[in-house]
Amino acid sequence: MAATKLTVLSNGSLRVEGDFELVDAQGQPYGLAGRERISVCRCGLSKNKPFCDGSHKGHFEHNAEAFDLPAPKV
């Protein structure tokens, strides 16, 4: 099985690559037509949610830089 990679893009979407399945809140899969790479909207402006359609351009700012989350509380 290939690894799944999520990339947070600065001022943009979440890119999903590899072996993955995208499902809705009821667990029903989206038909991805064999795609192994998609972009998921994270600005809320896309007219094709949950997929990115580029509507964020000029309306969404976020400098994507990785950081460590604190350990979960036990």
Side-chain angles (χ1 to χ4, degrees):
M1 178 188 288
T4 301
K5 180 179 177 183
L6 293 161
T7 304
V8 180
L9 300 174
S10 291
N11 304 321
S13 61
L14 284 174
R15 181 183 301 144
V16 185
E17 301 173 89
D19 185 21
F20 62 91
E21 179 180 37
L22 184 65
V23 299
D24 67 13
Q26 291 73 41
Q28 297 300 309
Y30 286 88
L32 302 178
R35 288 176 176 80
E36 294 181 356
R37 180 171 127 169
I38 62 169
S39 292
V40 177
C41 175
R42 65 183 183 112
C43 73
L45 298 173
S46 176
K47 302 218 181 340
N48 194 30
K49 288 189 250 342
F51 306 100
C52 177
D53 68 2
S55 294
H56 63 271
K57 292 183 177 137
H59 302 285
F60 181 72
E61 293 185 24
H62 175 258
N63 189 21
E65 292 184 15
F67 59 90
D68 293 332
L69 290 174
K73 296 180 181 178
V74 183

